[in-house]
Amino acid sequence: VISDSGIIRPRVIYFEHEDEFPQVLELLHDTVSQFDLDMIVFERGIKFAEGLQIIVDANYPNGANRNGDSQRAPPHPMAFVLGTRTSDPNAGSQGHFAPSSHWMPPFMRVNPVLEWTYGHVWHFLRLFQLPYCNLYDRGYTSLGTVKDTQPCPALAIPGAFKSNSELKYWPAYMLRDWDQERAGRIKKEKKKPAPVNITMSRSSSVLSVDSSAETKLDGKSGTTGNGKTAEFQTNTTAIQGLTESESGKSISSFGERTVGLIIIGDEILKGLTPDTNTHTAATLLRKSNVLLSRVVVVSDDQDEIVAVVKRMQQEADVIITSGGVGPTHDDVTLKSISVALGKEMEFHEGMADLLREKMNTGKDFSGKEGELTDAQVKMAT
């Protein structure tokens, strides 16, 4: 963004969270003030993809007529510079330039530190004496929220305690095993996204909303742990989630779908056959930026398969099964899925045609389609 004085002000985006660390807000305040950043704050209740959709939709050239119909110019292409690294859970198969995921609005992700290790990050910060959140000096190595983040256990100082009997920790840059970077993060249950209704307007240089919504970080201010307030009034536009009665326009919510994989087969559990399907599925799903959240290996037992499917329905959006769909007596996957879902089994003509093609049943001398065997009928049902 170019200010009235012609100075380029980098634009940054912040999504407010009710469980944010006060120390993070303090660093945010200092950084915005020190570098005169043009920051857009999405207030609590607005999901990540929803906020990005607003930014992308509003990325029009100055002076473009957004109220026109046929003459309206399309938004400019947009890119976001991120701090994603290959070791991050959401990195997937991203390169230094990667289009957004299918569940996000269209934009380009720019990942300049993609190949950096944990050690590279700390070498860079300390070499150039750059500011960082003071929680990292207290043993934290990866920050989430106050409810899901603890100091890294690998940095605990043996036998060293504070006056309140709490453990003491080495600072984050002392971590030797970089694979332990996220060891202090507490795994939380996945929540289903709720729809949020949003209204907005646009000024000449930044996004804005009704005057009642143009506010500081928390309506007035965001108080930090040391009494300092995180004030963003001059450099910040706040965008607020509204109820349906207050909103003039509804934007559907976005969310990343998760996949659960069920590997079925006694031969896997007995070590008679190596499980290569899990690795193949995980690799392909990651390349498509789809999160594989759970893998379960289960025996060829209908009751066990039914129980696992029902349980995984509560844990993943999509369930994939592997194994147990052949023609033998112990291939009970299809029947088990039918029971678990409460659906009747039906003959599938498309699968039957595929089996005829693959099994070379073809047509007989009279020109009729070849008959499927009982085993093939089972696999097509």
Side-chain angles (χ1 to χ4, degrees), residues 54-131:
I54 292 177
I55 299 294
V56 171
D57 288 346
N59 190 37
Y60 283 84
N62 290 335
N65 179 19
R66 299 191 69 244
N67 297 321
D69 295 324
S70 59
Q71 300 300 320
R72 188 172 70 177
H76 280 330
M78 175 167 278
F80 292 93
V81 179
L82 307 174
T84 301
R85 294 184 286 126
T86 53
S87 58
D88 293 340
N90 64 334
S93 58
Q94 293 183 45
H96 289 98
F97 296 90
S100 55
S101 301
H102 67 278
W103 54 276
M104 291 185 180
F107 60 85
M108 181 64 71
R109 293 176 287 195
V110 182
N111 302 310
V113 298
L114 186 66
E115 297 175 357
W116 284 27
T117 65
Y118 179 87
H120 286 138
V121 173
W122 278 109
H123 178 74
F124 180 79
L125 290 174
R126 302 189 72 210
L127 177 65
F128 294 100
Q129 300 181 353
L130 299 175

Side-chain angles (χ1 to χ4, degrees), residues 144-179:
T145 69
V146 295
K147 291 185 177 180
D148 62 16
T149 312
Q150 297 176 345
C152 180
L155 288 173
I157 304 175
F161 296 90
K162 301 177 184 178
S163 58
N164 58 0
S165 300
E166 291 184 3
L167 277 172
K168 288 185 177 181
Y169 293 85
W170 296 109
Y173 55 79
M174 297 287 288
L175 185 66
R176 292 184 177 182
D177 182 1
W178 298 340
D179 290 336

